[in-house]
Amino acid sequence: MIKPDAVENGHIGAILDKIAGAGFKIVAMKYTQLSKREAQEFYVVHKERPFFGELVGFMTRGPIVSAVLEKENAVEDFRALIGATNPADAAEGTIRKLFATDIAENAIHGSDSDENAKIEGAFHFSGREIY
Ligand code: GDP
């Protein structure tokens, strides 16, 4: 997902360019806005964390771009492309270093395992929306 901060700041095009330039194939994509219930479901693993309410508020405050990406070694390579959760710790040239504001408003989400990529892909897309 390209998160609401990056959409608000006009970074959709630049971020998609970085993703395509790194060799990822887009197999599904949509521009949408999460409801509170959807954001709570998506981030349910964080529901006991002190920042959960803030995270849900942030993720629902404006539209996002969600996508399913395909590549060899996609999860690891995409996590490397986006950089550390906190942009202050992210490597130079990573998407979060370039486009994120802080640890909360960090521009982009990437799945952390193949298993979660499947679950998250199915959260955003039906089978007939993935090509
Ligand atoms: P990620 O896998 O790199 O996205 O990081 P996590 O799974 O640890 O956290 C999920 C998301 O929660 C992050 O991408 C941030 O948007 C948000 N988040 C993480 N830590 C904090 C925090 O300390 N405060 C707030 N407000 N949000 C946070």
Side-chain angles (χ1 to χ4, degrees):
M1 289 185 281
I2 300 177
K3 296 184 178 182
D5 60 323
V7 172
E8 285 160 12
N9 294 329
H11 297 316
I12 295 174
I15 290 173
L16 292 178
D17 196 49
K18 296 272 299 174
I19 291 169
F24 291 87
K25 181 182 171 199
I26 295 169
V27 297
M29 185 157 70
K30 66 172 68 158
Y31 186 62
T32 186
Q33 183 161 355
L34 295 176
S35 69
K36 186 174 172 186
R37 194 171 48 78
E38 288 167 338
Q40 285 170 333
E41 181 190 334
F42 189 88
Y43 282 111
V44 71
V45 295
H46 294 307
K47 73 173 188 303
E48 304 302 338
R49 307 285 282 276
F51 58 81
F52 185 65
E54 202 178 311
L55 175 60
V56 169
F58 162 55
M59 287 302 297
T60 57
R61 81 166 183 228
I64 59 163
V65 175
S66 54
V68 177
L69 307 174
E70 213 170 73
K71 186 182 180 297
E72 274 302 308
N73 205 37
V75 166
E76 194 181 328
D77 288 359
F78 195 70
R79 299 288 297 189
L81 179 68
I82 72 179
T85 307
N86 187 343
D89 303 328
E92 287 302 325
T94 59
I95 289 173
R96 283 171 167 164
K97 186 67 166 189
L98 290 166
F99 303 114
T101 307
D102 56 32
I103 193 170
E105 304 206 0
N106 59 4
I108 191 156
H109 168 83
S111 304
D112 62 5
S113 66
D114 286 345
E115 188 192 357
N116 281 336
K118 268 207 189 89
I119 294 167
E120 293 175 1
F123 174 90
H124 287 290
F125 300 95
S126 70
R128 63 177 294 280
E129 294 174 310
I130 303 176
Y131 298 95

